[in-house]
Amino acid sequence: MARQKGIIKLSGTIGGVNFYENKYGSFARECGGGFNSEAIKTKASMIRVRENASEFGQVSQVGSLFRNGLFPFIQTCNDTKRFRRMVSLLQEIKTLDTVSERGKRDVALGLATPMGKKLWCEFDLTERSPEDLLPGTYQVASGATGLTVSDLDLSRLVFPKGATLVELRYGVLDVDFTALTFQLHMAAPLFMDKDFADSSVSLTLDGGIVMTGTLFPVVGVRFFQVVGGERYLFKETVWQGVRFMGE
């Protein structure tokens, strides 16, 4: 890199030399340099770059799979940074795979560890959790076949102004990490009004559903206003809660 001198300062590329300015002055340097794709693929000194790129590619694919699988739950919960946060967490969870060699560490194996499951269930899919919006004791059934919420008291529930119903949803994201495919199995939603008196409710998947992959139970809570017999969703993110649940 050389500093430009003289009255006329050049900008651009001439004869294989880049001329440019920054806050420190005017400079010129030869074009090229840095790393090219061939060097990254072949040089021994770039092995860490190759390993990181391989693992990040797999993490990004898994992140996209979760994003698509959760779409029915999060499609109205706007969060432009959710996917970035999810991929960042999956990167951390991937390092919990202590079986595979570096460069081949598998996020699925990380998710299978106790710490991986804990981190994933604690991930904030939305600003508020279902328990924040609909306080109670949430319990997923063995095999993720259903959800029970006990200790409910809707007389103390805070509804947004104008809302007449709170909806509880339960689903299971059934993931095949080898094929990078998923199925989302949903139970019928439960709508409760302000006069709902039961202290315990259950949502159950259809008994004919066969789940063969890695299972990720998901719970969602949101509010509606009924006008003329039609339900209208409160789309404000503060009134929608979604999160993964452990069995």
Side-chain angles (χ1 to χ4, degrees), residues 198-218:
D198 292 351
S199 60
S200 179
V201 296
S202 294
L203 279 69
T204 306
L205 298 181
D206 188 303
I209 291 175
V210 177
M211 298 184 285
T212 59
T214 303
L215 307 182
F216 296 90
V218 189

Side-chain angles (χ1 to χ4, degrees), residues 37-100:
S37 60
E38 186 61 27
I40 292 174
K41 291 178 182 178
T42 60
K43 281 192 173 183
S45 60
M46 303 296 291
I47 187 170
R48 284 290 182 259
V49 175
R50 293 194 293 272
E51 291 171 347
N52 291 339
S54 175
E55 292 183 347
F56 182 75
Q58 194 242 7
V59 166
S60 295
Q61 288 180 310
V62 172
S64 294
L65 185 151
F66 276 117
R67 178 177 59 184
N68 294 334
L70 289 169
F71 183 75
F73 278 94
I74 62 176
Q75 60 180 314
T76 58
C77 305
N78 295 323
D79 182 350
T80 58
K81 297 180 180 179
R82 182 188 292 114
F83 182 65
R84 190 185 313 164
R85 293 189 295 107
M86 182 182 291
V87 169
S88 178
L89 176 60
L90 289 172
Q91 281 276 74
E92 179 183 352
I93 290 174
K94 167 209 66 184
T95 65
L96 298 174
D97 171 12
T98 58
V99 177
S100 308

Side-chain angles (χ1 to χ4, degrees), residues 144-213:
T145 56
L147 170 77
T148 297
V149 183
S150 54
D151 303 321
L152 285 174
D153 184 356
L154 264 66
S155 67
R156 296 185 296 174
L157 180 63
V158 177
F159 280 75
K161 185 177 180 180
T164 50
L165 295 174
V166 58
E167 179 197 34
L168 176 65
R169 295 190 292 171
Y170 176 69
V172 178
L173 195 59
D174 183 357
V175 178
D176 182 334
F177 284 107
T178 301
L180 286 176
T181 58
F182 70 86
Q183 293 185 68
L184 179 61
H185 310 290
M186 297 285 294
L190 174 65
F191 290 90
M192 297 169 279
D193 62 20
K194 296 179 180 180
D195 296 324
F196 188 84
D198 292 351
S199 60
S200 179
V201 296
S202 294
L203 279 69
T204 306
L205 298 181
D206 188 303
I209 291 175
V210 177
M211 298 184 285
T212 59

Side-chain angles (χ1 to χ4, degrees), residues 103-123:
K104 297 181 180 179
R105 290 176 296 185
D106 193 328
V107 67
L109 295 180
L111 283 166
T113 65
M115 180 55 70
K117 292 176 182 177
K118 180 177 185 295
L119 290 173
W120 197 235
C121 287
E122 291 176 350
F123 178 66

Side-chain angles (χ1 to χ4, degrees), residues 10-30:
L10 301 177
S11 178
T13 302
I14 302 175
V17 177
N18 287 329
F19 297 89
Y20 64 97
E21 292 188 29
N22 60 29
K23 65 181 180 180
Y24 300 108
S26 300
F27 298 90
R29 67 180 177 188
E30 185 178 359

Side-chain angles (χ1 to χ4, degrees), residues 131-152:
E131 295 94 331
D132 291 334
L133 298 172
L134 182 64
T137 302
Y138 288 65
Q139 181 65 50
V140 174
S142 176
T145 56
L147 170 77
T148 297
V149 183
S150 54
D151 303 321
L152 285 174

